[in-house]
Amino acid sequence: MSYAIRVNEQDFDAEPRPGQCLRTYLRERGWFGVKKGCDAGDCGACTVQVDGEPVHSCLYPAVRAEGRSVTTVEGLAKDGELHPMQQRFLDAQGFQCGFCTAGFLMTASALDAEQLTDLPRSLKGNLCRCTGYRAIEDSIRGVKHAEEPCAGQAVGRSPGAPAGPLVVTGTARYTFDLEVEGLLNMKLLRSPHPHARILSIDTSAALRVPGVHAVFTHHDAPDKLYSSARHEHPTEDPDDTRVLDDVVRFVGQRVAAVVADSEGAAEEGCRRIVVEYEELPYVVDPELAMLPGAPVIHPKGPESRIFRAENNVCGEVHGELGSVEQGFAEADVVYEETFRTQRVQHASLETHGCVVYFEENEESGEERIVVRSSTQVPFLTRRALCDLYDLPPERVRVVAGRVGGGFGGKQEMLTEDIAVLAALKLHRPVKLEFTRPEQFYGATTRHPFTVTVKVGATRDGILTALQFRVVANTGAYGNHGPAVMFHSVGESMGVYRAPHKKVNAYSVYTNAVPAGAFRGYGLGQVTFAVESAMDELARRLGIDPLVLREKNVIGPGEHMEGPAGEEEDLHIASYGLDQCLQVVRDALADDRSAELAPEGWLVGQGFAMSAIATGPPGGHFADATVKLMEDGTYDIAVGTAEFGNGTTTVHQQITAGALGTTVDRIAVRQSDTDVVGHDTGAFGSAGTVVAGKAVMKAANALAEQILSFTAEYARTQRSLVRLLADAVECDGRTVSLKEIFEAAHSKGVLLAADGHWGGTPRSVAFNSQWFRLAVDPDTGEIRILRSVHGADAGRVMNPLQCRGQVEGGVAQALGATLFEQVLVDGRGEVTTAAFRRYRLPAYADIPRTEVHFSRTSDAIGPLGAKSMSESPFNPVPPAFANALRDATGIRFTEAPFLRDKVWQALADHRARGASDAA
């Protein structure tokens, strides 16, 4: 067979392998802009153009491209000039993590005038998990948002992300966008049983598969217990996990690893392994799991730090302030209800994975292992690997390229541990990349919660008592289980004043896919229950729900109190909740969106609010270094990872402000254990308030160094020296920064400064969300007529990026509210392990949300800023539920609010009404 294909105006004649798709054919030839998001034609991240027509290259056989012209995102630009659509995506900043951007560009650049008038249909083949789609629409429409602020004035403006040009040209390098000589591929054999003991494993047939190099089982792995969760303090999580265990506890747990020349050979090796199991009793309901006689999932001792292993209680918290019995006796109205939230997948378009290889340590000359990983926590992962394999830190380097989405899911060590095992044993580079199905049954989910809320108030709307019973299903392993449970009952209760409060909360093991860290970290689940209950209480009192909140929320300078105990380092260092509530009041006052509802549809409105600490408790550490370079530019070294959270841009802006320069004169090195001493990681909304504060300290110190050195060099007074964009003004004379560097270098002076921040004390951020909905009583269809969000982010460092974080949080929360759910069967096995069975919000599903920022300046955060990555998610589900209650008269207590569930509830409601009338 003769084969010829033209890719980006280059000719190739290498024949594809039998059955090979165009995506892998292109990537093998270095076109890394073609991404793998699903390999099922569901997400569009792999979109390329074949003879000018967009296709999903993961479904397109490479053999069909014979004789055709293929264009990838790398080929859109011509003669060094960006394609107009690439420029538009830069101007509007139509991306966050950027993993989906190449696919959107290849689709959008091929749309004709008619298709541009119907974007919901035209973009149905492309998914984005980060942006909420407004920025993508603005990009396609040619709306410009990015700014170029003047020197020293970057903070509070909206410069574009520094990686933007790389993202839109497909040259930003994500985890697997590199070539490693001699790379081997790993695939995992997973358990078919919810609970079983492995009696024997026969790997002989697998080892006979051509190309298979090794098979690893529990006999080859360390026997140490650890947690896949990554925290600054490892004792926050129970040590209940092994790299490979002789007991499996959920369908999908890894049993063995096969390493081969190709993924196909590794997969065939997995199929040839013969495992003999002893099936054990299992339990998938957390309430049943706590009962006497239930199967014990982790019969381990106190060294594992499991609260009550014999009852499958991973963690628990109990406490009472005052007497809730007295409080409810004093109430004129008491409302009690049980609410349930479902499992949700993070669905970051870049799946979990890593590439492990070897290099020479430039300082010591010794060989070390390098782990290139899609992780939010490179430093904590290195620490865990060193502990697991008894390696000194200088023998391990962990680096994250650009990360294709995280949302908490990559605050785990799910691939690095076993890939390092193989690399150390074979002394060969090894790659492990999860498939999309593995993301559903081999990674983690959001914790499903059952929350019973009881709240009492006097007839004039003053709360007398607030009580929670919370059961969080942590799945088969306790990674993040106790911490999520503890956080869930913190700010959700502390934001309200009540003299009597009580909490009983449990994190419970079951034989199901493990849960983990997810945007909001448990707070969203309990906020759904509390804010729904407050809305219902207001209705029963006959009080405006907004007024009821205003009567009972904490105020400026107050402490958040709860039965779980007061967190001493948590302070309301700025207060914007009143402004967030005013956003709702203003939306109600000027709203005419009900006029958009189709005739006969039910219309309602509702809102909710939330509070969140601006960082995790117990310390969250960041080191940063800022230095002057030889060419007169600046360099920032910081450990935190960039995955669309915008921290890189903010760190540039902070530095530009301190040094009186422009963001384009500042380079950033990050996400690499080589660049700074330590960084806890990019989670808990810490990128701005922790790492940003370390950067600010370093930049301010460097500014003082430069000014002092220049004053001495120019023999003038320090007060007469001022930093300019690329120079220093000295008493009317201008000295270039390049000259300053050379002068310092000649004297052996290094113009560089370090900054450190420990994440404490912490402040509190606030959010509000309001919806007006229309519901079709005949079908259960819901339309969002208007969406308004109030956000208290302190001083907003980059309004465009912060708005994008809010919009993305609202969109992700709407997915969880309307249709997203990881379903498991009676054995705990995931049955929705594909995007086409697990519905993600598409462009057509998400309304434009009006975002209003409170005007506050925080006394703790850098330059007055607060965090705003996780918190926008939390008030969305209860606001939607409250609007749905207003429209239908029905209180929906279990998410998601699927169309058929809404229709059935309406039908039952009408039937009860007819029966009562009769």
Side-chain angles (χ1 to χ4, degrees):
M1 169 185 175
S2 62
Y3 184 83
I5 181 176
R6 191 166 179 79
V7 181
N8 298 332
E9 300 184 357
Q10 298 181 34
D11 293 321
F12 295 87
D13 58 8
E15 293 185 10
R17 297 186 300 276
Q20 185 174 24
C21 70
L22 184 58
R23 180 188 69 79
T24 59
Y25 183 89
L26 293 170
R27 285 186 62 84
E28 287 171 4
R29 278 142 193 86
W31 304 111
F32 293 130
V34 185
K35 301 304 183 192
K36 171 188 172 180
C38 65
D39 267 355
D42 295 333
C43 75
C46 66
T47 303
V48 301
Q49 293 173 10
V50 178
D51 291 338
E53 289 294 321
V55 301
H56 288 172
S57 62
C58 69
L59 295 182
Y60 196 95
V63 69
R64 283 186 56 194
E66 200 277 330
R68 297 177 182 271
S69 177
V70 176
T71 305
T72 73
V73 68
E74 293 97 331
L76 275 184
K78 303 294 184 185
D79 301 322
E81 294 291 328
L82 292 180
H83 185 282
M85 191 59 70
Q86 291 174 309
Q87 187 60 55
R88 289 180 179 186
F89 267 72
L90 269 184
D91 290 342
Q93 293 290 285
F95 53 87
Q96 285 184 24
C97 84
F99 200 80
C100 70
T101 304
F104 272 99
L105 281 165
M106 300 313 295
T107 297
S109 62
L111 298 180
D112 59 29
E114 182 179 352
Q115 290 169 323
L116 285 170
T117 65
D118 190 4
L119 288 183
R121 179 176 294 276
S122 300
L123 298 180
K124 67 179 181 179
N126 293 83
L127 295 175
C128 174
R129 189 54 155 169
C130 299
T131 65
Y133 296 103
R134 188 273 313 159
I136 292 172
E137 180 186 354
D138 283 357
S139 298
I140 295 172
R141 302 291 189 207
V143 180
K144 183 171 182 177
H145 294 298
E147 300 176 323
E148 297 179 8
C150 298
Q153 298 178 18
V155 173
R157 305 298 294 275
S158 296
L166 300 179
V167 169
V168 302
T169 56
T171 54
R173 291 295 177 246
Y174 295 80
T175 307
F176 302 105
D177 296 343
L178 79 166
E179 296 180 6
V180 178
E181 186 176 351
L183 184 66
L184 300 178
N185 295 272
M186 175 181 284
K187 287 293 179 181
L188 301 174
L189 176 68
R190 297 182 178 274
S191 169
H193 303 296
H195 198 192
R197 179 172 288 105
I198 297 172
L199 301 179
S200 66
I201 303 181
D202 185 352
T203 63
S204 57
L207 289 167
R208 289 195 294 269
V209 173
V212 168
H213 288 253
V215 180
F216 298 100
T217 71
H218 63 274
H219 297 296
D220 306 295
D223 193 41
K224 293 181 181 178
L225 288 168
Y226 64 99
S227 173
S228 68
R230 298 289 90 226
H231 281 114
E232 180 63 41
H233 305 292
T235 53
E236 290 186 30
D237 305 284
D239 288 337
D240 57 10
T241 303
R242 290 185 172 91
V243 176
L244 291 166
D245 207 327
D246 62 347
V247 175
V248 291
R249 296 175 174 86
F250 69 99
V251 176
Q253 181 170 330
R254 59 196 189 191
V255 172
V258 178
V259 181
D261 290 327
S262 67
E263 290 186 351
E267 289 170 348
E268 181 60 28
C270 287
R271 287 189 285 268
R272 300 283 184 92
I273 298 173
V274 178
V275 185
E276 181 184 1
Y277 296 96
E278 175 193 355
E279 294 189 48
L280 301 173
Y282 60 88
V283 59
V284 297
D285 185 316
E287 295 285 1
L288 297 179
M290 288 190 287
L291 295 178
V296 177
I297 297 172
H298 287 280
K300 296 179 172 68
E303 68 279 2
S304 287
R305 297 185 306 280
I306 299 171
F307 275 58
R308 285 189 287 129
E310 68 277 10
N311 298 117
N312 295 313
V313 176
C314 174
E316 59 187 324
V317 60
H318 306 280
E320 185 170 12
L321 288 177
S323 167
V324 293
E325 182 179 0
Q326 176 186 336
F328 289 125
E330 294 171 351
D332 296 305
V333 175
V334 175
Y335 174 73
E336 182 175 10
E337 185 57 86
T338 298
F339 299 85
R340 293 178 173 83
T341 62
Q342 77 281 30
R343 290 179 179 86
V344 177
Q345 232 295 316
H346 307 81
S348 50
L349 289 190
E350 182 187 44
T351 60
H352 284 267
C354 64
V355 179
V356 182
Y357 56 95
F358 297 88
E359 71 175 12
E360 182 181 293
N361 188 322
E362 293 181 0
E363 293 184 2
S364 67
E366 297 180 351
E367 184 181 73
R368 64 176 175 178
I369 196 162
V370 180
V371 183
R372 181 180 174 89
S373 175
S374 183
T375 180
Q376 297 173 227
V377 284
F379 288 82
L380 301 188
T381 298
R382 179 180 67 172
R383 185 169 67 188
L385 292 171
C386 290
D387 290 344
L388 194 55
Y389 293 106
D390 297 320
L391 296 169
E394 60 270 18
R395 286 281 315 281
V396 181
R397 175 189 176 199
V398 178
V399 58
R402 190 168 178 89
V403 177
F407 315 111
K410 293 173 181 175
Q411 193 191 336
E412 303 274 355
M413 185 172 69
L414 298 178
T415 61
E416 301 91 338
D417 54 346
I418 196 163
V420 166
L421 169 70
L424 289 173
K425 295 277 189 180
L426 298 173
H427 203 262
R428 288 280 301 274
V430 175
K431 180 183 90 167
L432 174 57
E433 181 179 11
F434 275 12
T435 64
R436 182 55 57 185
E438 284 182 301
Q439 283 293 112
F440 283 96
Y441 54 69
T444 61
T445 73
R446 189 185 192 220
H447 283 75
F449 268 58
T450 300
V451 183
T452 300
V453 177
K454 187 175 182 181
V455 57
T458 61
R459 60 177 52 90
D460 58 351
I462 302 301
L463 295 186
T464 60
L466 185 57
Q467 176 177 296
F468 298 167
R469 182 183 185 271
V470 174
V471 177
N473 185 344
T474 197
Y477 290 90
N479 44 300
H480 297 283
V484 165
M485 175 269 303
F486 187 88
H487 186 236
S488 75
V489 297
E491 297 96 291
S492 58
M493 179 173 277
V495 74
Y496 286 110
R497 299 190 206 98
H500 308 287
K501 297 179 177 180
K502 184 176 182 179
V503 164
N504 288 301
Y506 309 86
S507 179
V508 184
Y509 288 117
T510 62
N511 294 110
V513 58
F518 189 100
R519 199 174 205 161
Y521 213 66
L523 196 55
Q525 292 94 312
V526 177
T527 297
F528 167 59
V530 176
E531 290 298 295
S532 296
M534 288 295 289
D535 188 78
E536 201 64 38
L537 180 67
R539 292 178 182 278
R540 300 188 180 201
L541 287 166
I543 295 176
D544 181 340
L546 188 57
V547 172
L548 182 66
R549 301 314 202 289
E550 291 171 333
K551 283 175 175 282
N552 292 285
V553 294
I554 57 172
E558 295 185 44
H559 288 283
M560 304 186 97
E561 293 185 333
E566 183 180 331
E567 298 180 62
E568 294 182 358
D569 73 331
L570 190 60
H571 307 279
I572 300 178
S574 60
Y575 188 81
L577 179 55
D578 53 346
Q579 295 178 55
C580 289
L581 296 179
Q582 187 61 42
V583 166
V584 175
R585 194 178 300 281
D586 292 344
L588 283 164
D590 68 8
D591 185 59
R592 300 186 62 183
S593 61
E595 299 170 6
L596 303 174
E599 185 177 353
W601 286 39
L602 308 173
V603 178
Q605 60 83 26
F607 93 100
M609 44 153 278
S610 64
I612 190 170
T614 60
H620 193 112
F621 302 99
D623 294 329
T625 299
V626 182
K627 63 182 178 180
L628 179 65
M629 305 299 287
E630 183 178 6
D631 61 356
T633 62
Y634 297 99
D635 176 87
I636 303 172
V638 65
T640 191
E642 172 64 61
F643 51 96
N645 47 354
T647 54
T648 309
T649 317
V650 169
H651 295 164
Q652 278 190 328
Q653 290 177 264
I654 291 171
T655 302
L659 295 168
T661 189
T662 54
V663 293
D664 61 302
R665 296 184 58 79
I666 302 169
V668 182
R669 292 177 296 123
Q670 61 193 151
S671 316
D672 185 339
T673 56
D674 267 5
V675 302
V676 290
H678 183 68
D679 189 282
T680 298
F683 64 90
S685 300
T688 294
V689 297
V690 179
K693 192 143 184 176
V695 168
M696 181 187 75
K697 286 174 171 286
N700 286 338
L702 177 60
E704 183 56 38
Q705 282 185 21
I706 294 172
L707 292 171
S708 296
F709 178 84
T710 303
E712 181 182 345
Y713 172 69
R715 298 182 179 181
T716 187
Q717 297 179 36
R718 164 68 178 77
S719 60
L720 299 178
V721 181
R722 183 170 67 94
L723 278 164
L724 304 176
D726 58 356
V728 185
E729 185 180 72
C730 314
D731 193 16
R733 173 188 167 205
T734 300
V735 183
S736 72
L737 287 171
K738 185 176 179 181
E739 181 181 338
I740 295 299
F741 176 89
E742 291 170 350
H745 183 70
S746 68
K747 295 184 177 183
V749 176
L750 177 65
L751 293 176
D754 297 326
H756 174 81
W757 183 243
T760 183
R762 300 171 296 147
S763 189
V764 180
F766 300 96
N767 295 77
S768 65
Q769 174 68 41
W770 178 84
F771 288 112
R772 188 176 292 281
L773 310 176
V775 183
D776 185 348
D778 298 323
T779 66
E781 179 185 348
I782 304 172
R783 292 186 190 174
I784 301 172
L785 304 178
R786 191 178 176 197
S787 171
V788 180
H789 193 97
D792 173 25
R795 185 182 183 190
V796 180
M797 308 295 275
N798 186 310
L800 180 58
Q801 282 194 168
C802 196
R803 177 185 173 192
Q805 288 293 305
V806 172
E807 291 168 335
V810 171
Q812 193 174 48
L814 280 172
T817 302
L818 286 167
F819 33 72
E820 288 187 50
Q821 54 181 340
V822 177
L823 295 176
V824 299
D825 62 16
R827 301 170 65 249
E829 182 172 2
V830 174
T831 61
T832 51
F835 281 156
R836 63 188 56 192
R837 293 194 294 274
Y838 177 90
R839 182 181 168 190
L840 282 182
Y843 171 83
D845 297 312
I846 302 300
R848 291 177 78 96
T849 293
E850 304 164 32
V851 180
H852 301 271
F853 293 114
S854 299
R855 296 190 176 187
T856 58
S857 182
D858 199 67
I860 295 174
L863 303 176
K866 294 198 280 194
S867 59
M868 195 48 60
S869 293
E870 295 186 84
S871 59
F873 186 110
N874 297 331
V876 173
F880 198 99
N882 293 340
L884 192 56
R885 165 69 168 87
D886 191 51
T888 64
I890 303 168
R891 172 58 61 187
F892 289 84
T893 60
E894 185 170 351
F897 308 138
L898 299 169
R899 179 172 170 171
D900 56 342
K901 287 168 60 175
V902 173
W903 176 85
Q904 187 63 61
L906 286 167
D908 293 345
H909 188 64
R910 287 193 295 267
R912 283 194 299 270
S915 175
D916 292 343

